[in-house]
Amino acid sequence: MEYLNIAFMFIKAFAVGGLICAIAQVVINFTELTAGKILVLFMLAGITLTALGLYQPLVEFAGAGATVPISGFGYLLANGAMRGAQEGLYQALTGALAAASAGVSAAVIFSFIMALIFKSHTKHN
């Protein structure tokens, strides 16, 4: 029975994460927005949905399916800022940075390690 719960958890994460990615693909296909603007749009959507109390139930339902996409990064920033705001204005400003610091640090460190290991080159068409 435990295997069935694990399988259902994977299915929920895949469905929600896939839906978020499908929405992004529709935005890419039917608008003239650049990739950077779309990333900012989805991050701001995560922040807005968190502020409205709508993203937390999605995270509880789908787990990594809701936290891994870029909207999950917006959720992380907003959640940290809201927790920090309970302690004061300064903590509201630094709470988002503290919440995201481990992920951002890991990305920078692993990117640096990969840059040392592999040689980058430009793609020729």
Side-chain angles (χ1 to χ4, degrees):
M1 193 61 169
E2 182 66 26
Y3 293 115
L4 191 58
N5 289 335
I6 293 171
F8 188 59
M9 183 177 59
F10 279 118
I11 291 168
K12 290 189 301 186
F14 181 77
V16 171
L19 180 63
I20 292 170
C21 291
I23 293 169
Q25 190 63 50
V26 168
V27 172
I28 290 169
N29 289 347
F30 295 106
T31 67
E32 296 294 322
L33 295 174
T34 63
K37 290 179 182 178
I38 294 170
L39 287 172
V40 170
L41 178 72
F42 272 75
M43 189 181 71
L44 290 175
I47 291 170
T48 304
L49 291 173
T50 301
L52 296 174
L54 300 174
Y55 209 84
Q56 183 63 38
L58 188 63
V59 169
E60 291 170 1
F61 174 76
T67 58
V68 170
I70 192 69
S71 56
F73 185 66
Y75 159 77
L76 180 68
L77 291 174
N79 208 7
M82 290 186 327
R83 274 189 271 135
Q86 296 171 348
E87 299 175 22
L89 180 61
Y90 179 73
Q91 287 80 6
L93 297 173
T94 61
L97 298 175
S101 63
V104 172
S105 297
V108 170
I109 291 168
F110 289 123
S111 297
F112 178 71
I113 292 170
M114 293 300 121
L116 292 176
I117 295 172
F118 299 101
K119 182 180 178 187
S120 65
H121 59 279
T122 56
K123 182 178 177 183
H124 299 286
N125 291 337

